């Protein structure tokens, strides 16, 4: 089985992964009512790692990352994020949310606020950052995602790719240590996928710890140092992208890859 080829292939050798642990999940289980959606998940993520979570629809990928920033609550086992164990204590949730940024498939921008207002809303109202400082930070990140000229526009005036870059900039304004992405390019036209991947590649090069649920494997190919394959609520297999694509171990993974790669 040959590796898919994308024009995002870069030399990843300079990207550092540290020994420090960013996320530790042990024996984690989650049910939706009677439905056992995540089963005995064990996962260690080191700082600077760039992980793609792949797997068939309904395998629990989104639920797993939603548990990491506490949008969903797990029922047993442990999740430790940046040294903080996730419990139902609200203070603890706030702490974790401030360490973990999340970008969704549908950008979730406020349509009636300008791009600048979207970016400064949480820093001003949640973090109590002075308006001027919040705006300077917002402009810094809009420049980073290469759309500073869009600051005064409304989301509806931007392309999907631009809106997704705004969503990434908005997360960065909260200075997260970890970024979670839930299918960030799924709602985009092919020509816009590249813009968003370029932004993600830039973040990865700066050492951001990233977990990305993805159906298309562009990010895996471009910058991931690990691909995790999930099926039926379990981690079935994980490996570096090179070996994951070239030498999948389980039948389930082989079947999945032949579906997505078309051979
Ligand atoms: N709030 C919920 N209540 C009940 N069941 C849910 C809820 N959210 C998700 N599920 C179910 O849990 C399972 C896992 O969903 P999840 O969204 O985590 O899968 P996924 O692997 O991310 O799928 P996809 O690739 O289609 O986004 C699915 O069967 C889904 O229908």
């Amino acid at each position: 089985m040959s590796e898919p080829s994308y024009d995002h292939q870069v030399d990843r050798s300079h990207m550092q992964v540290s020994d420090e642990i960013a996320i530790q999940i042990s024996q984690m289980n989650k049910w939706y009512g009677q439905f056992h959606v995540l089963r005995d998940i064990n996962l260690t993520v080191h700082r600077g790692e760039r992980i793609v979570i792949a797997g068939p629809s309904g395998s629990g990928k989104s639920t797993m990352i939603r548990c990491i920033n506490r949008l969903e609550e797990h029922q047993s086992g442990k999740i430790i994020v940046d040294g903080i164990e996730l419990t139902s204590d609200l203070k603890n949730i706030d702490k974790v949310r401030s360490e973990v940024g999340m970008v969704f498939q549908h950008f979730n921008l406020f349509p009636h606020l300008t791009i600048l207002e979207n970016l400064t809303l949480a820093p001003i109202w949640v973090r109590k950052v002075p308006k001027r400082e919040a705006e300077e930070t917002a402009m810094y990140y809009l420049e980073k995602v290469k759309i500073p000229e869009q600051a005064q526009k409304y989301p509806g005036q931007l392309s999907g790719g631009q809106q997704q870059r705004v969503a990434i900039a908005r997360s960065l304004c909260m200075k997260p240590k970890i970024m979670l992405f839930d299918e960030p390019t799924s709602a985009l036209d092919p020509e816009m996928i590249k813009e968003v991947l370029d932004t993600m590649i830039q973040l990865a090069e700066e050492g951001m710890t990233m977990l990305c649920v993805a159906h298309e494997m562009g990010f895996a190919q471009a910058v991931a140092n690990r691909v995790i394959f999930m099926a039926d609520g379990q981690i079935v297999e994980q490996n570096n992208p090179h070996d994951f694509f070239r030498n999948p171990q389980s039948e389930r993974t082989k079947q999945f890859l032949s579906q997505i790669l078309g051979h």
Side-chain angles (χ1 to χ4, degrees):
M1 186 174 295
S2 64
E3 202 170 358
S5 109
Y6 294 88
D7 59 1
H8 276 97
Q9 290 183 345
V10 289
D11 177 8
R12 293 181 280 256
S13 55
H14 61 288
M15 294 190 200
Q16 294 296 314
V17 171
S18 103
D19 290 340
E20 270 180 76
I21 292 174
I23 302 168
Q24 179 90 61
I25 302 180
S26 31
Q27 291 297 112
M28 190 263 277
N29 286 274
K30 171 159 184 66
W31 286 262
Y32 286 123
Q34 300 290 306
F35 177 49
H36 197 170
V37 59
L38 293 175
R39 299 158 180 263
D40 292 331
I41 301 288
N42 291 296
L43 176 66
T44 302
V45 179
H46 291 93
R47 281 204 198 289
E49 273 209 277
R50 311 161 300 273
I51 294 178
V52 162
I53 304 166
S57 191
S59 53
K61 307 178 296 292
S62 297
T63 304
M64 185 165 85
I65 65 165
R66 290 170 70 86
C67 284
I68 293 172
N69 79 341
R70 216 51 170 70
L71 286 172
E72 296 288 349
E73 195 171 352
H74 62 291
Q75 278 99 13
S76 75
K78 264 189 191 177
I79 304 179
I80 300 172
V81 178
D82 200 39
I84 306 163
E85 183 176 349
L86 302 195
T87 65
S88 45
D89 182 342
L90 284 177
K91 276 191 200 143
N92 163 308
I93 295 171
D94 283 349
K95 257 201 251 166
V96 167
R97 293 255 173 89
S98 68
E99 308 284 345
V100 182
M102 179 122 180
V103 172
F104 301 88
Q105 178 178 357
H106 299 289
F107 332 114
N108 296 0
L109 301 173
F110 292 106
H112 57 290
L113 298 182
T114 65
I115 299 308
L116 190 65
E117 287 165 347
N118 265 282
L119 264 63
T120 54
L121 190 72
I124 292 173
W125 295 102
V126 179
R127 291 272 174 89
K128 311 291 178 209
V129 175
K131 184 165 181 249
R132 193 177 170 146
E133 189 185 326
E135 287 181 349
E136 279 171 10
T137 304
M139 287 311 300
Y140 172 83
Y141 286 111
L142 280 179
E143 278 182 28
K144 199 178 179 71
V145 301
K146 301 189 171 63
I147 39 174
E149 71 286 356
Q150 308 294 348
Q152 298 307 331
K153 292 199 181 148
Y154 289 87
Q157 297 174 283
L158 271 57
S159 72
Q162 289 173 327
Q163 290 189 59
Q164 192 59 298
R165 282 184 283 156
V166 170
I168 294 172
R170 180 179 55 180
S171 279
L172 294 175
C173 283
M174 301 299 273
K175 315 265 172 75
K177 292 186 183 160
I178 298 165
M179 287 285 287
L180 306 177
F181 295 85
D182 196 354
E183 299 191 29
T185 57
S186 296
L188 302 178
D189 294 335
E191 69 272 17
M192 290 173 196
I193 291 178
K194 184 176 181 312
E195 299 175 357
V196 172
L197 281 184
D198 283 344
T199 299
M200 293 171 73
I201 290 166
Q202 193 185 338
L203 279 183
E205 287 180 336
E206 289 168 6
M208 180 65 80
T209 307
M210 301 164 83
L211 275 80
C212 178
V213 172
H215 280 282
E216 64 92 35
M217 291 290 114
F219 182 72
Q221 191 65 17
V223 279
N225 66 322
R226 183 155 41 134
V227 181
I228 289 177
F229 175 68
M230 290 184 72
D232 302 323
Q234 289 179 304
I235 295 178
V236 173
E237 182 166 343
Q238 45 184 315
N239 214 332
N240 65 69
H242 181 273
D243 292 334
F244 179 81
F245 289 115
R246 279 208 166 83
N247 191 19
Q249 300 297 305
S250 76
E251 282 309 312
R252 194 75 184 79
T253 314
K254 287 178 195 165
Q255 192 189 3
F256 173 76
L257 285 178
S258 67
Q259 275 163 5
I260 63 161
L261 303 179
H263 47 79

